[in-house]
Amino acid sequence: MFKLLVGLGNPGPEYETTRHNAGWWWLDRVAAELKVTLRPERSCFGLLGRTQVDGQPLWLLKPTTFMNRSGQAVAALARFYKIAPAQILVAHDELDLPPGDARLKHGGGHAGHNGLRDLHAQLGSPDYWRLRLGIGHPGVKAEVVHWVLRPPPQQQRQAIDAAIERSVLALPWLLAGEVAKATSLIHTTQPPRPKPPRRLPASTDGADQPPAA
């Protein structure tokens, strides 16, 4: 189903641990899971790796343009290898979800996210998949820029990392095109509660009472 996995972020050590780079954190984790090495590739303006899944090529891309030029890298690779938007999965930070939440989404608007905005423009279509990694919202619109360009506190980072781990566990289903199974795992923020044991009907003849001492 997917031929290209993309993680959005900003280049440079000063941005490495900031919330806006959650997509990069995800792609690094996926590359480690698939044992793919990412190397600079000037023709697609990013760090690129390639592997095969079930005999089909799969590309991993971290654009090294700044966030608002992310589409340049993705579109260059997609055009060269004739990858349709619906075969692209883009991981990015999401203000509208709390840390620890992740959501898989197909198509839709960019909601003001500069990376997605440029992807829309460069691909000429919103018909790509997104993995939305929650980073929370500062509560005030004027603080959003400072929020996304700062590192999250340890507890929030751990929650984001947990969401990334769930998505990695779902990777085999994602790559097999079994989106429903992948979604059920990615969207779960808490382990399912165990069902209470079935209660036997009460006995009326004393058979369920302990023997007399």
Side-chain angles (χ1 to χ4, degrees):
M1 178 181 180
F2 295 114
K3 293 184 177 180
L4 173 58
L5 306 180
V6 181
L8 299 188
N10 282 312
E14 67 271 35
Y15 297 109
E16 185 176 349
T17 61
T18 64
R19 293 178 176 95
H20 224 14
N21 275 39
W24 270 31
W25 304 342
W26 176 82
L27 199 77
D28 283 339
R29 183 65 187 83
V30 170
E33 182 71 16
L34 298 178
K35 297 179 173 57
V36 174
T37 300
L38 302 175
R39 295 186 173 89
E41 179 55 60
R42 294 177 61 184
S43 64
C44 66
F45 313 98
L47 298 175
L48 184 65
R50 182 183 185 274
T51 187
Q52 284 197 339
V53 176
D54 293 332
Q56 299 298 316
L58 176 69
W59 299 94
L60 277 64
L61 174 66
K62 288 170 62 175
T64 51
T65 56
F66 280 96
M67 181 69 79
N68 62 355
R69 297 297 304 276
S70 299
Q72 180 183 19
V74 177
L77 189 68
R79 282 194 297 266
F80 188 83
Y81 290 105
K82 296 180 173 57
I83 301 172
Q87 297 171 317
I88 301 172
L89 173 62
V90 178
H92 65 90
D93 57 303
E94 177 57 68
L95 287 163
D96 292 335
L97 295 174
D101 272 16
R103 294 288 183 270
L104 196 62
K105 180 182 178 182
H106 181 219
H110 54 68
H113 190 289
N114 286 332
L116 300 186
R117 190 196 306 273
D118 196 55
L119 276 162
H120 276 48
Q122 297 288 342
L123 290 175
S125 169
D127 193 34
Y128 53 91
W129 287 81
R130 305 96 189 269
L131 177 63
R132 304 162 65 216
L133 299 168
I135 61 167
H137 195 286
V140 179
K141 187 176 181 180
E143 292 295 320
V144 164
V145 172
H146 298 293
W147 179 265
V148 300
L149 294 180
R150 289 175 182 162
Q154 183 180 8
Q155 187 176 10
Q156 291 185 9
R157 176 62 193 259
Q158 289 173 345
I160 295 167
D161 286 343
I164 289 173
E165 287 303 315
R166 287 200 314 277
S167 74
V168 172
L169 288 174
L171 197 59
W173 287 282
L174 278 173
L175 298 181
E178 298 190 39
V179 176
K181 289 183 179 179
T183 298
S184 68
L185 181 56
I186 292 171
H187 290 200
T188 301
T189 55
Q190 298 292 335
R193 296 178 62 183
K195 293 182 179 180
R198 185 171 63 89
R199 299 187 65 177
L200 296 174
S203 172
T204 57
D205 60 7
D208 61 338
Q209 299 299 319

